[in-house]
Amino acid sequence: MTAPTARIASSADVARRLQPVVVGGDILAYSYVRELHRAYGIERTIVLATQDIKMLSSSRFTDYRLEPLIHDPEDLYDALERVAAQVRADDPDRVLLVLGCDDCHARMLSSGKLRLEAAGYTVPYIDFDLLDDITQKRRFYELCEQLDIPFPRTWYFDCGPDGPEELPVEEFPYPLIAKPSNSAQFQDATIARKRKIYEIDSAEELAQVWRDIRASDYVNELVLQDFVPGGDDAIRTLTTFSDASGDVRVVSGGVVCLQDHDPTALGNPLCIMGEREEEIIACAKRFLKEVGYRGFANFDIKLDERDGAFRFFEVNTRCGRNTYYLSLGGVNFVELIVREFLLGEAIDYREAYDPFVYSCVPRYVLDRSMENRARLQQAVAETAGGRADVQAPQTAHVLSERIERPLQLMAAARHEPLAVLHHHLGIRRHAHGGAGGVHVAHLHLVRQHRAQRRVGIREVSLLHQQRIKSDFLHGHSI
């Protein structure tokens, strides 16, 4: 593991010298851009994406570039090398930093680290041998067993040519969870009735899943696991940042109040409330120190109501898509990357648990979808500054400047005041924040209709990443 070295002399030079390049166009990409500006005043982050995602391409703080082939490693490296050559030609003093948004980005950036470093990039990801090792589910659980970290009872089956034609489906307890050992490879595979995670209730269902995967181009292992009972609020998320010695320097996490239940997005948190669990933190520290981890990691965990154990499911070797909650907890998450990998600074230990609720859906979705009403009451109380009534109707939407800006354009096109448009859409603004310094983040996904049609904004599935997204985050809006 490379020791910290300073590529930029001081934080005062970051705004002038740093050129960030973000690969991907999701919520995390927007969080990178936002926090780079908030921490260092970065006015221009280059974003490479396969599609035109308006929340990023319309931001004045991005240089948005469409690169439709960057899911392929060679095409990604070629695109990044072109960017590096152009940036260095314009200003040889620039320092390049590349940041990814997905498992596949982490794998490609890690695998191509030497090539990208030769092009001038700082690549804040662990070496590929370690990444590939610990992201294989079998190896992860072997390490958990070695380090006395709880995990679910697990079986493994080879999906390649050497694997069994059929599984002994009658021998397993149901319900079961089925998921790929290699998530990045599975993500790129073509599979009938594909899901991110399979919740399997019967032998017949498992047999069908196995046939679908065996007939596909996914050739790694399929992991079957004992189903850990409990609702969404039994799930925990933990984000850590470690230094070159493998010591955790910053940690934050919380309870997942609500997760996405779309089959292709199952497991993605929609609402997270900050909550500290010492047992989870201790387990993560043991794991990261053992493997010599540096940088950001994210753990998926679930509380097993049968024995009270927190069972670890996997480690993601990157920032999670919702890592902005660490900033809400009190530590700008992008600042950690810059300090460790570019400034070479020592980072004091900090637990980022300032009270927060991070939500990707509006309040009425929480009202309708959260089964644990006590948790809902707690989350709503924090967002409302202690004034909560889970039965009350949703009377206001939280808007940001990222929604207001297109609304202003729409109002102008219709030749009517913005307030009239707000009235037509049933929108009222309310103040951000609450008692006790609680930070709230609402990410609303909206569609902008054609100018010649009657304008409207409607909620769409969080899964639809091609839709226009907007945010209401603590501090100023981009």
Side-chain angles (χ1 to χ4, degrees), residues 65 96 260 304 367 388-389 407 441 469:
R65 306 181 184 185
L96 291 150
D260 202 322
D304 192 335
D367 287 346
D389 179 0
L407 283 180
K469 303 183 182 78

Side-chain angles (χ1 to χ4, degrees), residues 376-395:
L376 175 60
Q377 186 81 26
Q378 184 181 0
V380 171
E382 293 200 352
T383 64
R387 300 177 300 277
D389 179 0
V390 300
Q391 303 302 324
Q394 177 72 3
T395 58

Side-chain angles (χ1 to χ4, degrees), residues 367-423:
D367 287 346
R368 182 183 65 202
S369 304
M370 283 182 62
E371 296 180 357
N372 188 326
R373 309 309 285 180
R375 280 287 189 194
L376 175 60
Q377 186 81 26
Q378 184 181 0
V380 171
E382 293 200 352
T383 64
R387 300 177 300 277
D389 179 0
V390 300
Q391 303 302 324
Q394 177 72 3
T395 58
H397 292 273
V398 182
L399 296 183
S400 73
E401 296 306 317
R402 291 290 297 124
I403 289 183
E404 288 285 28
R405 193 181 306 169
L407 283 180
Q408 290 166 357
L409 296 176
M410 295 174 193
R414 295 177 61 180
H415 305 289
E416 64 184 17
L418 182 60
V420 173
L421 182 58
H422 280 187
H423 175 74

Side-chain angles (χ1 to χ4, degrees), residues 89-358:
D90 291 343
D91 184 354
D93 199 37
R94 283 283 189 173
V95 174
L96 291 150
L97 171 69
V98 62
L99 302 165
C101 295
D102 205 340
D103 287 332
C104 65
H105 300 150
R107 289 184 68 85
M108 289 189 290
L109 295 175
S110 174
S111 179
K113 185 186 290 190
L114 293 179
R115 178 173 170 178
L116 295 174
E117 288 176 342
Y121 286 97
T122 292
V123 185
Y125 295 90
I126 56 176
D127 293 340
F128 185 75
D129 286 346
L130 176 58
L131 182 150
D132 194 49
D133 184 40
I134 63 177
T135 54
Q136 302 294 330
K137 299 294 191 297
R138 182 190 290 268
R139 177 57 177 154
F140 176 72
Y141 296 131
E142 287 174 352
L143 286 165
C144 286
E145 186 169 24
Q146 173 187 329
L147 298 170
D148 195 27
I149 297 173
F151 62 95
R153 185 184 179 193
T154 306
W155 301 265
Y156 309 92
F157 294 96
D158 186 355
C159 299
D162 297 331
E165 288 294 327
E166 297 181 353
L167 297 184
V169 295
E170 302 295 342
E171 298 179 8
F172 297 110
Y174 295 92
L176 279 176
I177 294 295
K179 58 187 177 182
S181 178
N182 188 316
S183 299
Q185 186 187 102
F186 192 82
Q187 180 178 334
D188 292 334
T190 302
I191 301 170
R193 292 172 284 273
K194 182 178 180 180
R195 306 179 199 170
K196 182 180 178 182
I197 298 173
Y198 298 83
E199 295 182 354
I200 297 175
D201 295 318
S202 67
E204 293 76 18
E205 187 177 356
L206 176 57
Q208 182 62 60
V209 168
W210 181 248
R211 286 193 295 269
D212 290 343
I213 295 176
R214 280 278 291 164
S216 76
D217 52 346
Y218 176 75
V219 295
N220 215 290
E221 288 185 319
L222 180 70
V223 179
L224 301 181
Q225 284 187 331
D226 174 37
F227 177 78
V228 178
D232 289 356
D233 61 300
I235 300 168
R236 300 295 187 272
T237 178
L238 189 78
T239 295
T240 62
F241 187 85
S242 302
D243 62 18
S245 300
D247 293 320
V248 171
R249 306 317 304 152
V250 177
V251 61
S252 184
V255 55
V256 176
C257 300
L258 182 67
Q259 65 173 338
D260 202 322
H261 288 268
D262 187 290
T264 60
L266 189 64
N268 288 340
L270 299 184
C271 181
I272 299 168
M273 182 166 57
E275 185 172 280
R276 185 186 185 280
E277 293 285 355
E278 175 59 35
E279 180 181 346
I280 291 174
I281 296 173
C283 287
K285 286 180 177 178
R286 291 201 302 275
F287 181 91
L288 297 166
K289 184 65 174 179
E290 173 67 21
V291 302
Y293 196 97
R294 184 186 184 193
F296 270 110
N298 176 257
F299 293 89
D300 295 333
I301 307 141
K302 191 171 184 181
L303 173 63
D304 192 335
E305 62 186 24
R306 296 170 297 188
D307 60 4
F310 287 103
R311 303 200 181 277
F312 278 62
F313 290 152
E314 65 180 349
V315 60
N316 299 298
T317 55
R318 59 180 179 88
C319 292
R321 67 193 303 274
N322 297 317
T323 301
Y324 186 81
Y325 72 70
L326 192 144
S327 292
L328 296 177
V331 177
N332 184 312
F333 78 97
V334 175
E335 192 173 348
L336 297 174
I337 298 173
V338 173
R339 292 181 62 193
E340 171 71 16
F341 291 94
L342 294 171
L343 296 174
E345 295 180 352
I347 298 173
D348 293 335
Y349 182 73
R350 170 84 182 272
E351 296 189 355
Y353 285 98
D354 292 354
F356 68 85
V357 172
Y358 173 100

